[in-house]
Amino acid sequence: MKKNIEQIVFSNRQVQIINVCIKLIADGGIQNLTTKHIAEQVGVSEPALYRHFKNKLDILKAILDEFKYTSQKEIMQINNSTENSLEKLKKIFFKRIETFCIKPELSTVIFSEEIFQNEEILSEKVMEIMQLHQQMILKILIEAQEKNEVKNNIPAEHLSILIMGSLRLLVTRWRMTKFTFDLDAKSKELWNSIELLIKE
Amino acid sequence: MKKNIEQIVFSNRQVQIINVCIKLIADGGIQNLTTKHIAEQVGVSEPALYRHFKNKLDILKAILDEFKYTSQKEIMQINNSTENSLEKLKKIFFKRIETFCIKPELSTVIFSEEIFQNEEILSEKVMEIMQLHQQMILKILIEAQEKNEVKNNIPAEHLSILIMGSLRLLVTRWRMTKFTFDLDAKSKELWNSIELLIKE
Amino acid sequence: MKKNIEQIVFSNRQVQIINVCIKLIADGGIQNLTTKHIAEQVGVSEPALYRHFKNKLDILKAILDEFKYTSQKEIMQINNSTENSLEKLKKIFFKRIETFCIKPELSTVIFSEEIFQNEEILSEKVMEIMQLHQQMILKILIEAQEKNEVKNNIPAEHLSILIMGSLRLLVTRWRMTKFTFDLDAKSKELWNSIELLIKE
Amino acid sequence: MKKNIEQIVFSNRQVQIINVCIKLIADGGIQNLTTKHIAEQVGVSEPALYRHFKNKLDILKAILDEFKYTSQKEIMQINNSTENSLEKLKKIFFKRIETFCIKPELSTVIFSEEIFQNEEILSEKVMEIMQLHQQMILKILIEAQEKNEVKNNIPAEHLSILIMGSLRLLVTRWRMTKFTFDLDAKSKELWNSIELLIKE
DNA sequence: TATGAATGAGTCTTCATTCAT
DNA sequence: AATGAATGAAGACTCATTCAT
């Protein structure tokens, strides 16, 4: 919010590599992300990867930058709309769900902070992404409480943890059951319950 | 619940190795868990490890088995007490928090399902552990609803996701901020809010 | 005879590796065939070997395939000639001797079935090679008996064992005396005796 | 013949270890002969083996010494009998077959000179054993030729190669077909053919 | 832009052997 | 006579990366 959103431009090949990497991590964890596997999946030789990224670390950075950029844009857009606060929260909630429905592998990568804890620079980026969401949701929740759209007797921070925590856990369960249930439907039901609970 | 709890006995050395491994994973992710590092931290040569575990996979299995065994015991004990249902939930909630306060590294390992997704047998164990908790909490929540200790207009499953999801997210934030805030205090506040929300 | 001869193409490096391996086995047995030694003798690093063969087993397979292919070709060629049967036998006999004279190390590898008994797939290949020779020699011997070139009162199978057995033992002695006698000369003398014995 | 036969005394445990080793080599080649496997099969711990043999090399020496001692005794006995020369040859021939019939694994070890070529001291012992047999057979063959029991127009050395070579090959085939044919019967038939060929 | 060949550093694991008990 | 614990050396193989073409 403080920093400007940096426009990121990736070449087609870079985007392809990023997506292949997300899939590889989703499939077999960070240990599955080897240059050999990436090259195989992309359909080029290993050295070719180095034309597009300086090294493996740079690919991981790119994954996070891409995600950060996209979700930042989405969140901003929702926040700048004229809807009421509760509606904004709902939109953010479902935007995330939508992202994962479209690209399920992403959920594995984004919610596995462990993957990026090896490198200072990566774990910082993960923190940034988490805070980005958290602060925006907190801000909107406080607005909502001020406008009496949401209960006042619960600290906004706790509401934020409840909402995002349950979103994360639902997605985690979806992922662990190999995406076998309908995340879209389940998340709508969950949101209804959340609304019921937090609304004044 | 269906299966009997299997008693697991690990030698001193095995327990030491298990703990070293948990620390290594917490420090630098699964990629940091190499036989070289384990041996260094334990203070023996690499081959010596193979006297105590068949191979690396067996150590990871042991970590999960240990945790499963311990939390199963705790949960059973709480469930068999004569307290009311809400009190039981609270006890389970704080028991988990306590476990992580005592051994913070464990939180990294236990909530990073990604670590274990490489191997079928490990991800199955992770699923078992998750289901163990989930099912017990669900059961207690339903009892609580029947006894009107907890709101009836929200599906128990959603309440379960809210409770466990927020617990997980709080712990995750604690971990990502390098254990710099007082988890014990924060969790108590969070629980108060949860109670406020879900009580009739 | 039933199956077609499969053309095998090995790169220069592959051929070099194969030959180095044959030498290493001849020098110090299968226990001497380590990736370290192979790499040293080839003059590359150990990992480089894996660019040319999937693993060590594949190198051993290649050794046998190469030999099988070569001797199959030779035998076929001799068999398809218009010479009389005894002459064919002689040609096959001396062809094998010639092969070993040119590449003495090969004798160690080829007659040491023990080397390959570790792996099902290798011992099968060894069997194939043995049967290939045996069946052809048997066929020619039976023809020879029918044409009265060779004694009829001895089963062809026994003659085959006598011929191939003595060839093998002569080569084994040559090998065990570190190739110090003139195999070429000795084998000619031996063949004369064999002819004297088996001719009508 | 020149040297005296050295009496060798092995303890029960030593004999057990020797036999286990022979089986292990027969089963999976020299690479299968590890202290771990030996200990497992004997039913003791690895260090216990070192109470009975100085090291692994000493076990291999013992295998060869045992075999040498036994066959030396047998051969001497046969040679000292009053039978005619051809009969002696036959006895030696069948004595070896009998040995293998009783202890099939031995055939793998004894005819796989490659196993012992790693160590000078072992390959020397193998040579000694081979020469022991060869020289005795040669001596008897020459006697037989002098007494006109056997053809004179073939060098005794060639007859020796034919006899021992075919014995070896028959046994090798028996071994490679996993001892599935009746070696005893087949060897009798083979000997008949040999006699037919070499008798005057 | 791409690749075939290569490699130093490191992976997990097994080897024969020793030592204190 | 035997073992539990340990280890230096070595085993096969993989890693990310470089370089010449």
Side-chain angles (χ1 to χ4, degrees), chain C residues 26 28 30 114 117-118 158 193, chain D residues 26 28 30 114 117-118 158 193:
Chain C
I30 193 71
E114 185 267 341
Q117 95 196 88
N118 237 350
H158 291 170
S193 294
Chain D
I30 191 70
E114 184 267 341
Q117 91 197 95
N118 237 350
H158 290 171
S193 293

Side-chain angles (χ1 to χ4, degrees), chain B residues 13 45 47-48 51-52:
Chain B
R13 237 331 170 231
S45 70
R51 209 146 259 294
H52 305 284

Side-chain angles (χ1 to χ4, degrees), chain C residues 13 45 47-48 51-52:
Chain C
R13 228 349 160 224
S45 69
R51 210 146 260 295
H52 305 284

Side-chain angles (χ1 to χ4, degrees), chain D residues 30-47:
Chain D
I30 191 70
Q31 312 202 73
N32 195 35
L33 189 75
T34 67
T35 48
K36 190 183 172 194
H37 289 166
I38 301 170
E40 272 169 17
Q41 292 296 310
V42 173
V44 295
S45 70
E46 289 184 65

